[in-house]
Amino acid sequence: MTSFIIKALMSMVFYFLISDSSIAKAPDVFNKVYLPDYSYAGYEFGEKQPNIEGWRVINVVDHGLIANDGLDDTQALQALLKKLQNDPDPVVIQFGIGRYQISDIIRISRSHLVFRGAGKSATEFYFPRPLMYATIPREMEELSNYLTRESKVQKEKKQNIHLPYTLWSWSGGFFWTGVEGVRVKAYLNNYDSSEPVLAKVLSGKKDDFSFEVNNVGKLEVGQVVEIEWHNPQGKTGSFLQQLYGDSDVKLGSRHWENPELALSKQQALITSINANKVTIKSPLLHDINTKWDVNVRRWQHIEQVGFEHFSIRFDKHPYVAHHVESGYNGIYLTRTFNSWVKDITIENSDSAVLTESIANVTIADVTTTGKSLAHYTVQLGGVHNVLVKGLTIENPSIHPLSFNTFANKNVYLDSNVKVQPVLDQHSGANHHNLFDNTYVHITLKETQNQYKYPLFLGGGASYWKPSHGNYTTLWNTRINFKNGALSDQPIVLYGMQDGPNARLVGVSANLPFKIEYGPNSYQEGIGEYFTDIPSLYIYQLQKRLSKLKSL
């Protein structure tokens, strides 16, 4: 008993020592290694907040949606949206206090439209059934055929599970934005309906704002286009080095088996055109090399779409297996630019917010809660310059924070993961992403007399490995260990063996720890929290805005 008390006191002394020393000024890391400029993430490139002053407000009660009447409101809401589809006025669809019941997908396919509740504790959208009972949109046909052709089956022998994947594991939502009928994500070549190429990019440098094209005839100032980089050179293609550097990581076959598939995409706003020189608002993701078949394509999208001040509730439901979710998915954002989600609570979802092919969207002050095990909370799929700010995760989930296939230049800022935290990077050529000022709460399980936790575990299929590309950045990661104070050894944070050239700057905790993260990760300030620059994103944004004001 005496040795137990002494051991506990020694751990407490160490805790206070590390707490006192963990507050520090940020090192001059900016002059030591390359860090991407993340400051362009979010609505209006982080420079403005949404402003709907003067928009026409439509009260749903005038269109047959009565809160708390126990009736299904789906058809009335769909009819209202159909009526507004070709209305040129910006509109706010205002919901009142109480519950609205929805049982089918609500499509938002026009710009300048906001769903606004009376507050997340006042307005509730209740979904009594999952998406497997909803009308399946035609955009899901390609995914359905892909899952069948590839024989996608979840196999868990010990649980006697041998079940086909569903459509709703990483796609779909009851509130669904986008351009109806336009392909969201590529799965099969015979469905290829690529947007027309507007120009070929001839030269340009990573982080520059201008590049040269072969023809500007189809380009316009103010146009939002998509820049695409390909790998037509096969297994040893030079663009793969741009993605992964010189690190010795095994690359999956998806990187070369379909040269027509772009491995990196950037949605870009054209700000000026001079001769054959095009200038865009945000910096180029990569160098330009004509061997990489770099194109400027049309990008169909809607913009100025918002969801704010309400809650979404699903009933508690049993967990069956990974990838066979029945579709308790809240919001699915596709083909959307300069838009937002804010001040929302989502309970008992399979996935609270899913994203694909969106850019410059801010998702702020979302709380996910409930007892049901989720697949994702707020997931970042094949998206660019998306900012997730102030996400609070109170429910168990397999991938709480996740940068998924093709995600780049996105930011999770001020996330608070209270249950089973994992900083997931889900393979599929995701790169240049930022976990910023993240707070996680970990309950440890002792393994062979040692405490370990897979905080950096990366998901995804083997054919899309490695887990991430160059320059993933973790800035000021704070860890609250809920147990483990009596361990003789530092707690091991592991899970990432195939993520090249990451930057881990400022990792602090209430107990001794060590990090296993590779290959070639740059680590500085391990054991410290940098109070002078708590957020890299905000630091870079303020620096950029100050420079703009001085011009």
Side-chain angles (χ1 to χ4, degrees):
M1 186 66 174
T2 303
S3 62
F4 177 87
I5 295 172
I6 292 172
K7 192 177 181 182
L9 287 171
M10 289 177 66
S11 296
M12 289 174 64
V13 168
F14 189 90
Y15 166 77
F16 287 118
L17 285 173
I18 194 169
S19 296
D20 289 341
S21 64
S22 65
I23 298 174
K25 287 189 175 182
D28 190 17
V29 64
F30 304 99
N31 292 320
K32 295 179 180 178
V33 293
Y34 173 79
L35 287 173
D37 184 353
Y38 295 103
S39 70
Y40 292 86
Y43 176 84
E44 290 283 0
F45 302 94
E47 297 172 10
K48 300 177 184 177
Q49 296 299 314
N51 182 3
I52 56 176
E53 185 177 348
W55 288 28
R56 179 158 60 100
V57 178
I58 297 175
N59 198 315
V60 297
V61 72
D62 298 328
H63 295 268
L65 286 87
I66 313 298
N68 298 326
D69 64 356
L71 300 178
D72 193 289
D73 296 293
T74 306
Q75 293 182 37
L77 184 51
Q78 289 174 335
L80 174 57
L81 289 171
K82 185 176 181 180
K83 183 179 179 180
L84 293 171
Q85 181 62 30
N86 298 314
D87 189 323
D89 291 339
V91 294
V92 176
I93 299 179
Q94 180 66 57
F95 295 85
I97 296 172
R99 169 185 282 190
Y100 298 88
Q101 183 168 308
I102 306 293
S103 59
D104 207 345
I105 294 170
I106 304 300
R107 299 294 293 265
I108 296 91
S109 54
R110 57 152 282 182
S111 298
H112 298 92
L113 186 144
V114 173
F115 275 23
R116 184 173 68 187
K120 62 183 179 182
S121 61
T123 300
E124 177 188 281
F125 291 103
Y126 170 64
F127 299 89
R129 301 187 289 277
L131 285 163
M132 66 182 293
Y133 299 111
T135 304
I136 299 177
R138 57 178 172 162
E139 293 94 328
M140 301 299 278
E141 179 185 312
E142 180 179 358
L143 174 57
S144 177
N145 289 336
Y146 166 78
L147 296 176
T148 300
R149 193 195 76 172
E150 297 292 318
S151 301
K152 289 290 189 177
V153 174
Q154 183 69 19
K155 302 173 184 178
E156 298 177 19
K157 189 173 182 180
K158 291 182 179 180
Q159 301 300 324
N160 196 30
I161 287 173
H162 193 279
L163 297 170
Y165 283 19
T166 71
L167 294 174
W168 314 113
S169 185
W170 61 80
S171 299
F174 276 100
F175 291 135
W176 186 324
T177 74
V179 182
E180 282 200 60
V182 175
R183 192 186 200 194
V184 173
K185 186 172 183 176
Y187 293 100
L188 300 172
N189 288 343
N190 58 305
Y191 281 84
D192 190 18
S193 57
S194 297
E195 300 286 1
V197 173
L198 304 179
K200 293 281 188 180
V201 188
L202 304 178
S203 64
K205 290 291 186 183
K206 177 183 175 68
D207 291 330
D208 282 354
F209 293 84
S210 297
F211 52 88
E212 289 190 350
V213 298
N214 65 334
N215 191 337
V216 297
K218 297 179 181 179
L219 303 178
E220 300 175 6
V221 174
Q223 188 178 20
V224 181
V225 296
E226 185 169 80
I227 307 170
E228 299 180 341
W229 286 262
H230 297 80
N231 172 38
Q233 298 176 301
K235 291 184 180 181
T236 59
S238 54
F239 183 65
L240 299 178
Q241 186 174 30
Q242 187 92 169
L243 282 177
Y244 300 110
D246 295 324
S247 298
D248 185 19
V249 290
K250 185 177 180 180
L251 303 184
S253 60
R254 287 288 199 269
H255 288 89
W256 61 81
E257 63 186 7
N258 182 6
E260 299 301 316
L261 181 67
L263 295 184
S264 187
K265 299 179 181 181
Q266 174 181 2
Q267 288 75 34
L269 172 65
I270 297 176
T271 58
S272 71
I273 299 174
N274 184 7
N276 278 8
K277 185 178 180 181
V278 178
T279 301
I280 56 177
K281 174 70 177 178
S282 51
L284 271 174
L285 265 173
H286 303 290
D287 293 329
I288 302 299
N289 187 324
T290 54
K291 295 178 181 179
W292 302 339
D293 192 20
V294 186
N295 300 322
V296 177
R297 289 190 188 272
R298 182 179 71 169
W299 186 57
Q300 293 190 67
H301 64 278
I302 58 176
E303 55 188 71
Q304 300 293 336
V305 174
F307 299 90
E308 54 187 47
H309 312 314
F310 58 79
S311 64
I312 290 173
R313 191 173 78 80
F314 301 104
D315 289 329
K316 185 177 182 297
H317 51 276
Y319 176 74
V320 179
H322 200 36
H323 296 127
V324 296
E325 292 83 1
S326 55
Y328 292 96
N329 298 344
I331 299 173
Y332 188 35
L333 301 173
T334 77
R335 293 279 176 172
T336 305
F337 178 72
N338 266 357
S339 297
W340 67 92
V341 176
K342 68 177 182 181
D343 190 36
I344 289 177
T345 296
I346 304 175
E347 182 179 2
N348 287 325
S349 63
D350 286 332
S351 292
V353 180
L354 293 172
T355 63
E356 192 71 46
S357 190
I358 67 173
N360 290 99
V361 172
T362 295
I363 302 170
D365 301 320
V366 171
T367 299
T368 65
T369 188
K371 301 297 184 183
S372 300
L373 177 62
H375 188 169
Y376 295 104
T377 61
V378 176
Q379 169 257 26
L380 296 177
V383 301
H384 174 68
N385 270 350
V386 174
L387 172 65
V388 179
K389 179 181 178 182
L391 172 62
T392 301
I393 299 172
E394 299 176 345
N395 59 310
S397 53
I398 296 171
H399 307 301
L401 304 180
S402 182
F403 293 119
N404 222 285
T405 304
F406 299 143
N408 58 61
K409 274 289 183 83
N410 304 294
V411 179
Y412 283 108
L413 169 63
D414 295 341
S415 301
N416 188 353
V417 188
K418 297 183 178 181
V419 183
Q420 298 172 205
V422 176
L423 307 183
D424 173 53
Q425 297 175 82
H426 215 72
S427 307
N430 69 85
H431 54 282
H432 291 62
N433 295 301
L434 170 64
F435 295 103
D436 194 13
N437 199 34
T438 308
Y439 192 28
V440 300
H441 305 260
I442 294 175
T443 300
L444 298 158
K445 293 182 180 178
E446 189 173 6
T447 305
Q448 296 179 345
N449 298 318
Q450 185 180 27
Y451 286 108
K452 302 177 70 175
Y453 189 84
L455 181 61
F456 310 114
L457 194 65
S462 59
Y463 49 69
W464 264 129
K465 287 294 182 181
S467 295
H468 68 75
N470 283 338
Y471 310 133
T472 283
T473 305
L474 291 83
W475 186 277
N476 266 349
T477 306
R478 292 176 293 163
I479 302 162
N480 173 35
F481 292 110
K482 295 183 178 180
N483 63 334
L486 302 182
S487 174
D488 289 326
Q489 302 296 324
I491 297 159
V492 179
L493 300 173
Y494 72 102
M496 183 57 64
Q497 297 179 341
D498 64 343
N501 302 310
R503 280 76 169 98
L504 284 73
V505 182
V507 183
S508 59
N510 60 335
L511 291 174
F513 68 95
K514 67 178 182 178
I515 292 173
E516 294 178 357
Y517 197 117
N520 301 332
S521 65
Y522 173 86
Q523 300 183 22
E524 186 155 348
I526 305 305
E528 298 180 328
Y529 179 79
F530 301 119
T531 54
D532 58 332
I533 307 179
S535 161
L536 176 61
Y537 168 79
I538 292 175
Y539 171 80
Q540 291 178 327
L541 178 61
Q542 289 175 341
K543 192 173 180 180
R544 177 166 65 86
L545 294 181
S546 295
K547 189 179 293 185
L548 286 175
K549 287 179 181 179
S550 65
L551 295 177

